[in-house]
Amino acid sequence: MERQPRFDLNAATEAWLDQLRQRGTLTEDDLRELHAHLLDSVDSLKTSGLTDEEAFLVAQHRLGSTESLGEEFGKIQRPVALRREAVIFFAGALAFVVLKNGLDAAGFGASRWLVAHLPDDRVAVLVDFGIRFLLFIAFTGALAAYFRRGERLHRSLFAWLHRSPAGVALALTTLVGVVQFLQFSGEKSVARVLRDLPARNLYGIHLNERLFAYGVYVAWLVAFALVAVRQRYTGKRPVLEWFRQAHAVPLLVLGWGAFFGLFVGPGFEVVQRLTNVPPAFIAPAASLLFCLTAGCLLAENRRYALAGRFALVVAPVLILCAIDFVENPADTLKFLLRNITPAVLGAALGLGLGSWQRRRNIATS
Amino acid sequence: MNNLTKDLVAAASVPVVLAVLGRGESYGYDIIRQVKELSGGKLEFSEGTLYPILRKLEERGLVETEWRKADNERQRKYYRLKDGGRATLEAERTNWNAINQLLQNLWNANPALT
């Protein structure tokens, strides 16, 4: 009898299940049920005379592409998915602490050596900038490469968490503790060196440090948002879809991070250094721009009513006002007036613009 | 005969699934088969439509599920109506009958349109 390479139904279904698993939106129970479904379909096709391979291909085709199945299952709101999201947010926050402090520690080490060995101030600052730049590229490049294979990251993280939650907690805490200590001692030693050399003009090193700290912040925010978003939405425009369905807690974390990290922190500093605009105008402009952007993104969130979306958009500005009140109760009224008014204005404008844009899209399509 | 529109299928999907389960417990593959057969092939749910609906019904407490071995030694997830599911099915029946009655009245009053 002629020998042909035999079709292995088990291997084929396993490969198909693995593809589905990689979408990240199906639970093991969903996969088991779809597996049973596929086999029922294969059985029924085989009774009409198809071979294993033909039956498998037809059954698989009828079930639809793994992309569309993953997308449909991704629309289900599940408590399990939320818990996974929380874990990812937590892991992301820890990764940020480790990355930022690790970079700081390395940067401080370099700065200290440079200050001690390079007599020329400008050269020292410039070389310090170069070293920090390389470190930044290396760290974020590695992070980006890791996140690009996001599914593997999810699977290994959750497998590890499932196997030994105590081990994960211990390892992460140790890592955070070690880099925190390195960062702390690095900062101290650089401060000591700079204090011992009052004659030298090394302010540039401070600037370098701030600049790259913000760079890490932004890179982390982007990478982390992509992972959190891809975890749940595998459709064509996952980021927009995420904003449409997201819960208040991740939205607040993201909003606070973006407002404080981008608009208030580096935005403020850059504008203040490059222009002569008085700080009294920069802060309201930051609130206005932030609320405008956030309003546009949140305009179509299906989970919350208009009042809820509005509250979410202005919340980061309110939190900043609250912190300001604790630190400096005397100035609060001025600060409140300066920030709340543009925030309310920006939020209203953004929410209006966002829904108008969407209505126009529907009208033209 | 035209195919049923997407909107109509979406609106009918919950009552149809509840009604199929009202005839007795069943599993995903069998629900799709029954719907196709009973609609004369006009209505065919895709898996990506059916399973999310079943999850929703389960979450709302209208159906209960159980993994059980079928005759062919294979595990299947069976769905069964709970009391809440029966009540919802009854409410759906009343509503759809009302719509049906309304359309019948409208069309019978003006036979030229049919």
Side-chain angles (χ1 to χ4, degrees), chain A residues 259 283-293 317 339 341-343 345-347 349:
Chain A
F259 177 57
S287 302
L288 181 82
L289 273 177
F290 169 77
C291 289
L292 189 72
T293 320
V317 181
N339 286 275
T341 322
L345 208 72
L349 209 63

Side-chain angles (χ1 to χ4, degrees), chain A residues 28-183:
Chain A
E28 282 305 313
D29 193 68
D30 296 336
L31 290 168
R32 202 174 149 205
E33 192 169 14
L34 284 175
H35 186 199
H37 189 112
L38 182 82
L39 292 179
D40 277 333
S41 189
V42 166
D43 279 355
S44 122
L45 288 161
K46 271 160 66 179
T47 54
S48 58
L50 268 59
T51 66
D52 272 9
E53 185 169 8
E54 288 160 348
F56 171 77
L57 289 174
V58 174
Q60 188 194 24
H61 180 73
R62 281 189 188 166
L63 271 160
S65 71
T66 50
E67 282 87 5
S68 66
L69 275 176
E71 201 176 326
E72 292 295 334
F73 275 85
K75 288 178 190 161
I76 312 171
Q77 296 298 332
R78 282 192 262 236
V80 180
L82 260 186
R83 277 211 299 279
R84 286 171 76 94
E85 203 173 39
V87 169
I88 287 181
F89 265 83
F90 180 67
L94 287 180
F96 172 64
V97 173
V98 170
L99 178 65
K100 183 183 174 304
N101 288 340
L103 242 166
D104 266 1
F108 283 134
S111 309
R112 189 167 178 239
W113 187 86
L114 284 172
V115 170
H117 288 84
L118 290 176
D120 189 295
D121 295 341
R122 256 182 278 171
V123 173
V125 170
L126 213 63
V127 176
D128 179 65
F129 179 87
I131 290 178
R132 281 179 195 270
F133 183 72
L134 285 180
L135 280 170
F136 173 71
I137 295 293
F139 268 85
T140 46
L143 191 75
Y146 198 43
F147 278 134
R148 209 174 295 133
R149 294 170 299 172
E151 279 97 6
R152 239 170 89 186
L153 178 77
H154 301 147
R155 256 194 298 167
S156 54
L157 176 67
F158 284 102
W160 189 24
L161 200 65
H162 190 67
R163 223 171 33 241
S164 85
V168 177
L170 198 69
L172 290 179
T173 316
T174 313
L175 197 61
V176 171
V178 168
V179 291
Q180 191 79 55
F181 176 75
L182 286 176
Q183 195 264 356

